Amino acid sequence: MLTNLSIKNYALIDDIDVQFSDGFTTITGETGAGKSILLGGLSLVLGNRADLSSLKDQTQKCIIEAEFDISKYGLQALFEENDVDYEDQTLLRREILPGGKSRAFVNDTPITLDVMKTLGSRLVDVHSQHQTLQLTENEFQLKVVDALAENSERLKSYQSQLDRFQKASKELQGLIDFQSNADKDHDYHSFLLQELETVALQPGIQEVLEVEYEQLNNVEHILEQLAKGHQLLQHEEMGVLGQLSDLKRSLQQLADFGPAYTALNERIQSVFIEMDDIAAELEQLQDTVEANPTRLETVNGQLQKLYDLQKKHQVASVEALMEIKQQLSEKVDVVANIEAKIEEKRTEVNRIKDELEAIAADIRKARNGVIPELKRRLESSLVQLGMPSATFMIEVEPSKTFKHNGKDDLIFLFSANKGSSFGELKKVASGGELSRIMLTIKSILATYEQLPTMMFDEIDTGVSGEISNRMGEIMQEMSKNMQVFSITHLPQVASKGQHQFKVFKEEDELGTSTRMKKLNEDERIKELAEMLGGKVLSESALAHAKQLLG
């Protein structure tokens, strides 16, 4: 519940700081005194948008603080979800700076305006003329039916299943769209893949083929140089090996004359062995190297295919071609298997849909179960509010489509007078009738769910004294389960409050300011008497005021 409200530098308000209690509180004051300003200030701390014109003094910031006791609201999860520290005594603060920017805080933690609005909607339900118009909207009417039907958990289950259904349906459509587009490219992708499959694509294959091509293409030159090398080594008179053999024998004769000669001998021995081995290998290579025009043509063809494919796909390596081949293979496989995937996803969608239909049917059954009781309570309450012939036609019909709150259309028709035809509320109900219907609905809801603090803004406008007396009693009854405020011009309603505040203006040399004070018993009698008979207090008005206060 709202326990304290502080408003500084807002509209006509310099500084207001008031404490509130539970139960039923009424707020009165002359027209133009600033009751709407007070509500406007509260709405800012509940997340409504503001502008620079809200500041009374344009050079100073506006600060609005509202403290709530939220220990019974079960809001810990909401606080945790928005990374805000939870406290049973929670403070909401809104600051509007002279430059026009605003800041929002919960328990001194900076938050976004959206978070403040979400939290504010769970703390205070401000009933204004705009909200009365919500009564004519089908979604609000269904919320009322669902509250009586205790459909909260069913709707959570339904919405979770609806998310799954929508996600699966989107995935199915995505597969169908993919198939439609992929079919156009399938033949081309298959052709490209087959073209790549005709070539043995392996890491390093291009380098191997290029080496082999160079060897085959230069066979005569290679043989010529091998023969020349072999002759240089093995020539009988001038061969390197013969000369090395003479050198080896000379150094062997010096090996015993010291370490330096021994080392030279060993080195020439190694050189001779190496050169002899080279001569043998040159001879062997001459035997193995031979011209092979057929193989040369084959290798050249393979290389040209690789070069052509690289040019076609605009890449520079076999590895890149292999990656393209893998991608094409996946695309071709996907198209080849798409029908099976579509059928699998369609089966999943149908299964989720059947489960969703079952939950929607449970919701519809619960709704239908409470409609007779809702109709009875609405009509009986409206009799006491001066609408003895008011009747409702409320029916639930299955919808063709899944909606966020079920699969139903709600027919919610109203007739104010006996013999009159039924019609939609927005077409056949007057403003005063809508206010009374809304108050009745709020009072019914108060017995079914934990409503936040309720703020009625002149819901009694346009009703007679006796009817307003009954409206006050309804709000008084509601206040047994919740904190209720009523901004009112009617003494009959004002007198029903356990607490009464007066909003008034004060003028001084600096200008006009709106003030607010809690009235004691004598002040309440005077205020009610003025509401009954004007500023000149008559004995009858005072007596009537006392009578209203009991």
Side-chain angles (χ1 to χ4, degrees):
M1 70 173 187
L2 178 63
T3 58
N4 183 268
L5 179 63
S6 171
I7 303 176
K8 293 181 175 67
N9 194 37
Y10 175 73
L12 291 178
I13 298 174
D14 286 320
D15 190 350
I16 283 179
D17 193 332
V18 289
Q19 284 76 44
F20 298 111
S21 304
D22 57 1
F24 185 27
T25 299
T26 57
I27 300 173
T28 59
E30 296 179 0
T31 300
K35 298 187 296 297
S36 60
I37 294 174
L38 181 74
L39 197 56
L42 177 63
S43 70
L44 289 180
V45 86
L46 297 178
N48 284 10
R49 299 202 172 272
D51 54 48
L52 195 57
S53 62
S54 303
L55 277 62
K56 188 174 191 292
D57 181 348
Q58 299 288 322
T59 66
Q60 302 293 321
K61 68 180 177 181
C62 164
I63 302 176
I64 302 171
E65 295 182 331
E67 187 173 358
F68 294 86
D69 179 350
I70 62 172
S71 55
K72 298 179 181 178
Y73 286 5
L75 296 178
Q76 289 90 338
L78 180 61
F79 275 69
E80 183 177 339
E81 180 182 326
N82 291 286
D83 198 23
V84 178
D85 291 335
Y86 173 86
E87 295 180 17
D88 285 345
Q89 297 296 321
T90 281
L91 182 69
L92 274 63
R93 184 169 87 255
R94 185 83 179 275
E95 297 180 358
I96 304 165
L97 307 179
K101 293 183 179 180
S102 74
R103 299 184 296 186
F105 303 85
V106 173
N107 296 329
D108 289 327
T109 299
I111 58 170
T112 65
L113 199 57
D114 286 341
V115 172
M116 175 166 270
K117 193 164 190 175
T118 299
L119 182 57
S121 67
R122 302 285 293 272
L123 299 178
V124 180
D125 183 350
V126 179
H127 178 90
S128 60
Q129 184 178 5
H130 168 71
Q131 199 195 38
T132 298
L133 294 177
Q134 285 185 336
L135 177 58
T136 66
E137 298 171 0
N138 200 250
E139 185 166 338
F140 179 82
Q141 295 162 358
L142 266 175
K143 281 184 178 180
V144 175
V145 175
D146 285 330
L148 271 65
E150 298 181 345
N151 265 338
S152 176
E153 291 303 317
R154 295 186 189 94
L155 284 169
K156 285 181 183 178
S157 177
Y158 171 86
Q159 286 157 2
S160 175
Q161 191 73 0
L162 179 62
D163 287 343
R164 291 182 60 207
F165 174 69
Q166 290 172 336
K167 181 181 178 182
S169 298
K170 185 177 180 180
E171 290 171 351
L172 173 61
Q173 189 59 49
L175 289 172
I176 294 172
D177 292 342
F178 178 83
Q179 181 188 38
S180 176
N181 295 323
D183 282 345
K184 301 173 186 176
D185 301 324
H186 180 62
D187 291 343
Y188 180 58
H189 289 158
S190 297
F191 168 75
L192 292 178
L193 179 61
Q194 289 172 4
E195 195 174 43
L196 288 169
E197 286 176 339
T198 61
V199 180
L201 297 178
Q202 300 171 10
I205 187 63
Q206 182 174 332
E207 291 78 8
V208 171
L209 290 172
E210 286 173 343
V211 169
E212 186 179 0
Y213 174 80
E214 289 300 318
Q215 291 176 352
L216 291 168
N217 197 42
N218 293 279
V219 168
E220 291 181 1
H221 179 68
I222 292 171
L223 286 172
E224 181 182 340
Q225 298 307 313
L226 287 173
K228 185 177 181 180
H230 187 263
Q231 185 178 16
L232 286 171
L233 288 172
Q234 296 279 34
H235 192 276
E236 292 182 3
E237 297 179 4
M238 301 290 294
V240 172
L241 282 174
Q243 296 181 49
L244 282 174
S245 182
D246 291 342
L247 179 61
K248 183 178 69 165
R249 282 193 295 272
S250 296
L251 291 179
Q252 278 179 337
Q253 296 177 25
L254 301 176
D256 296 331
F257 294 105
Y261 299 107
T262 302
L264 277 174
N265 179 55
E266 290 174 353
R267 289 171 65 189
I268 196 61
Q269 291 290 339
S270 296
V271 169
F272 181 84
I273 292 171
E274 179 67 18
M275 295 303 291
D276 189 52
D277 188 60
I278 290 174
E281 192 167 342
L282 286 172
E283 187 175 8
Q284 183 182 2
L285 284 172
Q286 288 181 80
D287 294 337
T288 58
V289 174
E290 62 180 356
N292 190 341
T294 303
R295 178 59 184 165
L296 176 63
E297 185 178 352
T298 300
V299 171
N300 184 52
Q302 290 177 335
L303 281 172
Q304 286 305 315
K305 281 187 178 181
L306 288 178
Y307 296 151
D308 291 344
L309 287 171
Q310 288 172 13
K311 183 178 179 180
K312 183 174 188 176
H313 293 282
Q314 298 181 340
V315 294
S317 67
V318 170
E319 287 73 19
L321 287 177
M322 293 173 67
E323 187 174 341
I324 291 172
K325 178 183 175 183
Q326 178 64 28
Q327 293 170 354
L328 288 169
S329 177
E330 290 173 359
K331 289 178 180 179
V332 171
D333 287 345
V334 166
V335 175
N337 299 322
I338 194 69
E339 283 292 347
K341 289 186 176 181
I342 288 174
E343 284 307 310
E344 181 181 348
K345 183 59 67 174
R346 185 175 281 117
T347 300
E348 179 187 351
V349 169
N350 290 334
R351 176 179 55 78
I352 296 173
K353 182 180 178 182
D354 289 342
E355 294 170 0
L356 190 60
E357 290 276 13
I359 301 172
D362 286 342
I363 293 171
R364 185 179 307 120
K365 181 179 179 181
R367 286 169 173 170
N368 280 318
V370 299
I371 283 176
E373 175 65 10
L374 174 61
K375 184 175 182 298
R376 183 193 66 76
R377 293 185 66 172
L378 281 172
E379 291 172 355
S380 63
S381 294
L382 289 175
V383 169
Q384 301 175 56
L385 292 176
M387 299 171 65
S389 300
T391 53
F392 291 86
M393 178 188 293
I394 308 174
E395 296 178 359
V396 173
E397 291 187 346
S399 171
K400 293 181 179 180
T401 59
F402 292 110
K403 303 177 181 180
H404 74 94
N405 57 357
K407 198 184 178 187
D408 296 325
D409 291 319
L410 183 68
I411 299 172
F412 199 100
L413 304 178
F414 172 70
S415 173
N417 303 301
K418 196 171 184 178
S420 297
S421 58
F422 286 98
E424 296 179 22
L425 281 172
K426 61 184 175 184
K427 295 181 179 179
V428 300
S430 67
E433 289 169 341
L434 284 175
S435 293
R436 281 177 272 180
I437 295 170
M438 180 60 100
L439 177 61
T440 299
I441 284 176
K442 293 288 187 182
S443 67
I444 294 172
L445 288 177
T447 63
Y448 282 89
E449 57 181 19
Q450 180 68 45
L451 293 177
T453 292
M454 185 69 63
M455 180 78 70
F456 290 107
D457 183 18
E458 299 185 0
I459 195 173
D460 47 27
T461 299
V463 299
S464 64
E466 181 53 39
I467 301 304
S468 65
N469 189 62
R470 176 55 189 150
M471 292 180 81
E473 290 175 350
I474 291 176
M475 285 184 271
Q476 191 179 54
E477 185 67 24
M478 289 175 65
S479 72
K480 293 179 180 178
N481 299 316
M482 58 189 296
Q483 185 185 38
V484 178
F485 290 86
S486 177
I487 298 174
T488 180
H489 286 292
L490 298 180
Q492 291 87 351
V493 174
S495 65
K496 294 295 187 293
Q498 295 166 263
H499 323 283
Q500 184 173 345
F501 287 81
K502 181 176 181 178
V503 179
F504 58 96
K505 286 181 180 178
E506 275 189 355
E507 294 183 2
D508 56 26
E509 64 277 4
L510 298 177
T512 303
S513 295
T514 291
R515 309 288 187 195
M516 183 176 184
K517 67 173 293 188
K518 185 175 184 179
L519 304 180
N520 59 32
E521 187 173 350
D522 289 339
E523 289 169 333
R524 290 190 72 180
I525 292 171
K526 181 181 177 183
E527 173 72 4
L528 292 174
E530 288 183 1
M531 295 172 74
L532 287 163
K535 289 291 184 181
V536 179
L537 299 179
S538 65
E539 289 298 325
S540 61
L542 289 168
H544 192 185
K546 291 178 181 177
Q547 183 181 12
L548 286 174
L549 285 173

